[in-house]
Amino acid sequence: MHVFVTGGTGTIGTPVVAELLATGHTVLALARSDASVEALERAGATTIRGALTDLDVLRAGAAQSDGVISLAFGRDYGSAEVLAQGIADEGAAMAALGEELIGSDRPFAVVSGTPWVEGRAATEADPLPLEGPVAGRARSVMAALALADRGVRAAAVRLPRTVHADGRGGFAGLLTEAARRSGVAGYPGDGTQRWPAVHARDAAVLFRLVLESAPAGTAWHAVADEGDAVRDMAEVIGRRLGLPVEQVPDDTFGPFGPIFAMDQPATSTRTRQALGWEPTHESLLADLEHIDPESA
């Protein structure tokens, strides 16, 4: 399969491109910079130059493909306004990609987040939240899945709060970055709230499986660790960086503060049973032991 990938140089995209190439697929990847072109072509992909907001470029990439994986998202989460713009840009990009695939029966794998359900771990059957700071992402994903009725084999891979590799990535990575800046390995809430996690290379395998075989209109959970306590993450971060571990106000983490303070475990039982996906890489807490105390 010739696959068009956006976000192919990120924490998730890099192993997705590698997984596709290693299993016999070819990759056309969106590249927004010379550095991205170099990295992607060195990995074995071909590239098309453009940004996530270049909708005509996205349509052209999708038109050349047998399937699409949409991963790109903005990298600046410093304010609610910037986060909202990133969500809007992602939604417009997903809509443009999906429109190009209408009537073709080609696969379209989009990225989402795991939902949260009070009192239990979320499952693949639970709906995405339509309120809160990231509700716009849920609406974009729902619109993509609705393309199943228009001849698109659209499916969503729901990623947990932390997709990690080499001690970095996701919400746990944001905890580490905040600790380096402040000199305190801080955690919001009482620290007992749980976040699910997955290693990036395990998530990449699931994206490939979904692209190859997932039925239209379905959602899948890339969850390896059902829920690690946030204080446990902070303890590892503090020990690796030689910093005190303390509770800090939720607003320390900007627009993500309310989400950071929530208990939000999730399972992947149906995903494992239906698609044969089985995570094999190390857990989040083990991976955080790779944090480099000397790295900026």
Side-chain angles (χ1 to χ4, degrees):
M1 193 182 301
H2 188 53
V3 187
F4 180 46
V5 177
T6 71
T9 58
T11 300
I12 305 162
T14 298
V16 165
V17 169
E19 172 70 18
L20 291 171
L21 294 170
T23 53
H25 299 287
T26 58
V27 174
L28 171 66
L30 182 71
R32 64 179 180 178
S33 68
D34 291 342
S36 293
V37 169
E38 181 180 354
L40 289 162
E41 294 187 351
R42 185 169 59 246
T46 57
T47 57
I48 184 171
R49 191 66 179 262
L52 187 62
T53 52
D54 295 328
L55 301 186
D56 287 342
V57 175
L58 299 184
R59 295 185 186 99
Q64 300 174 48
S65 73
D66 301 312
V68 174
I69 297 179
S70 173
L71 298 173
F73 190 75
R75 301 187 182 194
D76 186 347
Y77 315 128
S79 70
E81 293 76 16
V82 172
L83 177 62
Q85 186 60 57
I87 290 172
D89 290 344
E90 179 193 46
M94 287 169 55
L97 291 166
E99 288 166 3
E100 187 62 38
L101 299 175
I102 288 172
S104 69
D105 292 320
R106 285 177 285 170
F108 182 30
V110 300
V111 66
S112 179
T114 51
W116 51 88
V117 180
E118 187 173 356
R120 64 172 173 82
T123 73
E124 294 88 341
D126 289 313
L128 297 174
L130 294 177
E131 297 182 0
V134 294
R137 297 196 81 185
R139 286 188 285 271
S140 296
V141 170
M142 291 171 63
L145 294 181
L147 294 173
D149 295 330
R150 303 181 67 188
V152 181
R153 187 161 62 80
V157 176
R158 294 175 172 181
L159 296 174
R161 299 297 165 259
T162 293
V163 180
H164 59 91
D166 305 317
R168 299 186 298 273
F171 279 13
L174 295 179
L175 291 180
T176 303
E177 292 172 14
R180 292 186 192 280
R181 290 194 304 268
S182 69
V184 172
Y187 58 90
D190 64 6
T192 63
Q193 69 272 30
R194 295 161 294 170
W195 297 348
V198 68
H199 196 285
R201 289 192 282 279
D202 287 323
V205 173
L206 182 56
F207 271 102
R208 176 186 51 87
L209 292 172
V210 166
L211 186 83
E212 292 174 343
S213 62
T218 53
W220 308 93
H221 278 194
V223 173
D225 307 341
E226 181 173 313
D228 295 309
V230 176
R231 184 182 174 93
D232 290 343
M233 299 177 208
E235 293 281 1
V236 178
I237 293 167
R239 175 162 45 76
R240 293 296 300 162
L241 299 181
L243 298 175
V245 178
E246 299 176 6
Q247 183 181 20
V248 296
D250 295 354
D251 61 12
T252 301
F253 304 100
F256 287 113
I259 301 175
F260 274 29
M262 296 176 64
D263 187 49
Q264 45 197 295
T267 69
S268 57
T269 302
R270 177 172 174 265
T271 298
R272 298 181 194 221
Q273 292 174 346
L275 298 182
W277 178 67
E278 192 60 42
T280 61
H281 291 84
E282 62 188 343
S283 69
L284 170 60
L285 294 180
D287 197 4
L288 289 176
E289 296 290 351
H290 298 303
I291 292 173
D292 183 356
E294 305 301 323
S295 178

